[in-house]
Amino acid sequence: MKRIALLGATGSIGRSALDVIARHPDRFHVHALAAGRQVPALVDLCRRFRPRIAAIADPALLASLAQGLAEHGLDTEAVAGEQALTAIAAAPETDTVIAAIVGSAGLASTLAAARAGKTLLLANKEAVVMAGELLYRALAEGGGRLLPIDSEHNAIFQCLPAGFDRDLAAAGIRRLVLTASGGPFRDLPAAELAAVTPTQACSHPTWSMGQKISVDSATLMNKGLEVIEAHWLFGAAPDQIDVVVHPQSLVHSLVEYVDGSMLAQLGSPDMRTVLAHALAWPERIDAGVERLDLLRHGRLDFLAPDRQRFPCLDLAYAALRAGGNASCVLNAANEVAVQAFLEAGLSFPDIAAVVETVLASVPAAPVQDLASILECDSRARRLAGVEVSRRLA
Ligand code: NAD
Ligand code: MG
């Protein structure tokens, strides 16, 4: 029986995880569920999964969480605050932590799970982008392992030889190819990008996801973050990671070997496959996913990404090549810009412009520890806030 803490339970990944978990009550037990601010949704999940602990990140919501649990006669313990989430990630009662909080808010709990030696099912890609080096140090200290919950990285993981240890050359691998759907604006002329709305940006053609990652998919920053993620997860240099647009989202990524073989993983675009793979690994279990009917789809297309219309992709490559704090700056500026696009009327093209300006204005520095990363994160956020205000004025 795997004992699970699910951080980000009320989100898109959280719900896909719980769907798979509910199909296999003989294999998985939910020990703790955590969310940011959605108390009624969290209480509802507690009714269904009966965890020992429920955590809400916003401390102001602790009383209403406790009340909601009591109203339903649940003996689940209510806790709140980022420290409570971090404690849950490291709790001795669990062996598996699903890190599915969105954004930098997930960093501390992700690191705590790694340090505690958990099997870390990592969806929170922002954590690895901000602090890849620290995360791998924490994993080494804790002796746990990371299993990727990103369709591309999970696909690559499935195409790697057994025992792979973040050394492409030793495994005979030439490069990794990440596929991208191209997002909802794949074919939109550059001149029309300035007028797109958050609703349009969040209408992803093939995947159903949270708002932030949907906007990132539309700008291709999501693919940029994934390039950085692939660097850390697989030990790939920037030149060994390529991106191709594949509108059908059926080939989830590929590994090219030195002998000319390319291995790919295919499946319906449904994150439950990824979650089932990682939850049961190294076994295989039913995920409740629609089987992939190749004849119905008929074709697989591949095209080059448009790096002019979607400059975020190259901004991410540049940050990865720069090393040190640059990826943390990129991520922080992007989080601020995406939020301003969703809530404050920042234009779609200005997301990339804000990120570019902030990247250029924070001096390069090495990342030694969590404190220096958090300091870099808040500095980049401040600068991004100023740049957003300037563009909105
Ligand atoms: P979402 O917005 O649907 O859900 C986010 C979850 O995080 C919610 O449960 C929310 O309550 C919680 N949360 C938000 N702010 C928080 C805070 N300050 N403290 C604690 N919890 C907080 O997002 P999602 O689409 O499920 O994505 C989650 C993560 O998984 C992201 O990093 C995303 O990039 C990654 N991911 C998602 C998908 C997908 O298909 N949705 C695919 C690959 C990777
Ligand atoms: Mg992905």
Side-chain angles (χ1 to χ4, degrees):
M1 185 73 95
K2 293 186 180 169
R3 299 178 61 84
I4 297 167
L6 172 52
L7 311 176
T10 54
S12 163
I13 290 289
R15 289 178 181 281
S16 291
L18 290 170
D19 185 281
V20 173
I21 288 168
R23 289 167 195 275
H24 302 278
D26 51 321
R27 286 176 177 266
F28 307 121
H29 171 76
V30 177
H31 172 74
L33 293 175
R37 303 184 47 87
Q38 301 90 341
V39 169
L42 183 58
V43 170
D44 192 51
L45 293 176
C46 290
R47 289 173 68 188
R48 285 174 48 210
F49 291 93
R50 305 279 165 152
R52 182 73 215 87
I53 300 177
I56 199 86
D58 183 347
L61 297 172
L62 177 60
S64 78
L65 175 60
Q67 187 187 343
L69 293 169
E71 271 167 15
H72 291 99
L74 299 172
D75 61 1
T76 300
E77 181 190 348
V79 297
E82 193 177 10
Q83 285 188 345
L85 266 66
T86 307
I88 284 172
E93 294 90 345
T94 69
D95 43 70
T96 303
V97 173
I98 305 178
I101 293 173
V102 59
S104 58
L107 176 62
S109 50
T110 297
L111 286 175
R115 225 176 286 118
K118 305 299 181 189
T119 298
L120 177 60
L121 273 54
L122 183 81
N124 179 213
K125 67 187 84 182
E126 294 90 350
V128 70
V129 169
M130 291 174 78
E133 197 171 331
L134 289 193
L135 179 59
Y136 272 89
R137 230 186 277 156
L139 282 163
E141 275 167 35
R145 85 158 36 242
L146 186 155
L147 297 171
I149 305 293
D150 206 341
S151 57
E152 298 76 5
H153 306 76
N154 183 268
I156 288 169
F157 182 84
Q158 295 197 43
C159 297
L160 292 172
F164 177 81
D165 190 19
R166 298 170 77 217
D167 184 342
L168 296 192
I173 294 168
R174 187 177 283 144
R175 65 174 180 144
L176 308 176
V177 182
L178 302 176
T179 53
S181 71
F185 308 136
R186 190 185 65 231
D187 300 320
L188 201 68
E192 291 174 39
L193 285 173
V196 302
T197 64
T199 308
Q200 290 171 312
C202 291
S203 309
H204 197 274
T206 46
W207 295 94
S208 156
M209 309 180 288
Q211 279 196 320
K212 195 261 175 181
I213 184 175
S214 294
V215 176
D216 285 346
S217 299
T219 60
L220 288 199
M221 182 58 94
N222 182 51
K223 212 49 53 182
L225 299 177
E226 290 180 356
V227 167
I228 300 171
E229 186 183 8
H231 163 74
W232 289 109
L233 266 56
F234 307 119
D239 294 341
Q240 293 175 305
I241 309 167
D242 279 344
V243 171
V244 299
V245 173
H246 166 50
Q248 291 90 357
S249 297
L250 301 175
V251 176
H252 298 309
S253 280
L254 308 93
V255 176
E256 182 184 336
Y257 285 84
V258 289
D259 62 6
S261 299
M262 288 186 91
L263 301 192
Q265 185 259 356
L266 285 78
S268 295
D270 187 325
M271 288 305 289
R272 291 177 300 171
T273 295
V274 176
L275 282 147
H277 173 264
L279 277 164
W281 187 84
E283 293 176 61
R284 296 274 182 174
I285 56 171
D286 175 46
V289 170
E290 188 188 348
R291 289 169 61 190
L292 174 55
D293 182 345
L294 289 172
L295 294 180
R296 180 166 67 79
H297 289 281
R299 56 186 283 173
L300 302 172
D301 294 310
F302 300 97
L303 6 143
D306 185 331
R307 306 181 110 95
Q308 268 73 46
R309 271 188 308 140
F310 302 107
C312 285
L313 180 59
D314 281 339
L315 289 174
Y317 268 104
L320 177 58
R321 290 200 169 94
N325 61 353
S327 295
C328 177
V329 173
L330 173 96
N331 179 68
N334 182 58
E335 285 191 28
V336 171
V338 169
Q339 194 179 359
F341 169 71
L342 286 170
E343 293 168 11
L346 187 76
S347 79
F348 183 83
D350 273 355
I351 297 174
V354 168
V355 173
E356 185 171 12
T357 304
V358 176
L359 260 181
S361 55
V362 178
V367 288
Q368 288 110 350
D369 50 20
L370 185 56
S372 65
I373 285 173
L374 295 177
E375 193 190 305
C376 168
D377 177 71
S378 41
R379 180 170 184 188
R381 278 169 195 278
R382 267 196 315 278
L383 290 168
V386 171
E387 185 58 20
V388 165
S389 306
R390 199 181 70 75
R391 287 173 180 273
L392 287 175

